[in-house]
Each structure stands twice: as structure tokens, then as C-alpha cells.
Amino acid sequence: MNALNSRNTAGLIEVGGVKDEKWSRHEAGQILRERGGRGWKIKDVQIEHDMGPDTGSARLMAEDKAGEPLQDTFTVTREKGTWHLVVFTQQPAESGKESAATDKPSP
């Protein structure tokens, strides 16, 4: 929330556990334009290890300074003992790997 409230690109990248690269700075900018600087206060967080010992779901409930609610569910992952929120969705595939398709198969 601190990264969102202060519109801190580097902080959001750090929390997201991604490399500071052109694509991540671009996506962080989009996230901060949509949700940044609103004085979010966390009301409740529920974490479930529903995908294994190093992956789970975090359900976040927050409110901005105007009283507008935010409720969202994020995937959380643990890498080398550190937990990260998966907030970046536009991460390019690693070199030599293809991204998983999210389109429905054609008939």
C-alpha cells in the first residue's frame, strides 16, 4: 500500500518481485495511474495457501481516504523465503519460452 499511496514505481516493482526493466516500469506506471495516491488503508487481508507451500491467494480489503472500498485477490508467491504479490501481469516470457495462451481454443 505504501508504494501505491506514494506513487512509488521502484517500490511497486520491489513488492512485485520483478526486475526493474522497461516493461515493469511501464506496467507499474499503469497501476499507479489507476490506483495510486488515494491514501489506501488496509482493512483486512486473508491469505490462503491454496496452491501449495510457496504459492497462495491473498484477499485484500482496503478503503481509500474518500471511503471508497477496494477488494481484490492477488496471487502470492514465495521466492528464496520472501513473499511477493503478483501484481504484474505483462511480464514477458523468459528467452526461449513461450507465454501460456489465455485465449479459448478455436473450434
Side-chain angles (χ1 to χ4, degrees):
M1 284 293 149
N2 290 337
L4 278 176
N5 287 336
S6 63
R7 295 182 184 249
N8 182 339
T9 300
L12 192 59
I13 288 170
E14 182 179 342
V15 168
V18 295
K19 291 181 181 176
D20 185 351
E21 296 179 346
K22 184 177 179 179
W23 72 268
S24 59
R25 287 188 299 275
H26 177 75
E27 188 169 352
Q30 289 177 318
I31 293 167
L32 294 173
R33 279 190 297 281
E34 291 172 11
R35 295 189 173 168
R38 292 176 52 182
W40 294 107
K41 290 185 182 175
I42 296 173
K43 297 294 183 182
D44 188 34
V45 177
Q46 297 175 4
I47 298 178
E48 296 182 24
H49 294 271
D50 52 355
M51 297 181 231
D54 295 321
T55 308
S57 300
R59 188 156 87 200
L60 172 74
M61 287 163 265
E63 191 175 89
D64 71 9
K65 59 187 169 193
E68 290 294 318
L70 166 71
Q71 183 171 340
D72 210 339
T73 301
F74 298 91
T75 298
V76 290
T77 60
R78 180 169 45 191
E79 185 177 321
K80 297 179 184 174
T82 302
W83 287 95
H84 297 281
L85 282 175
V86 179
V87 294
F88 291 87
T89 60
Q90 300 172 16
Q91 185 169 355
E94 292 179 29
S95 181
K97 293 185 179 180
E98 289 186 34
S99 296
T102 57
D103 296 336
K104 292 181 181 178
S106 19

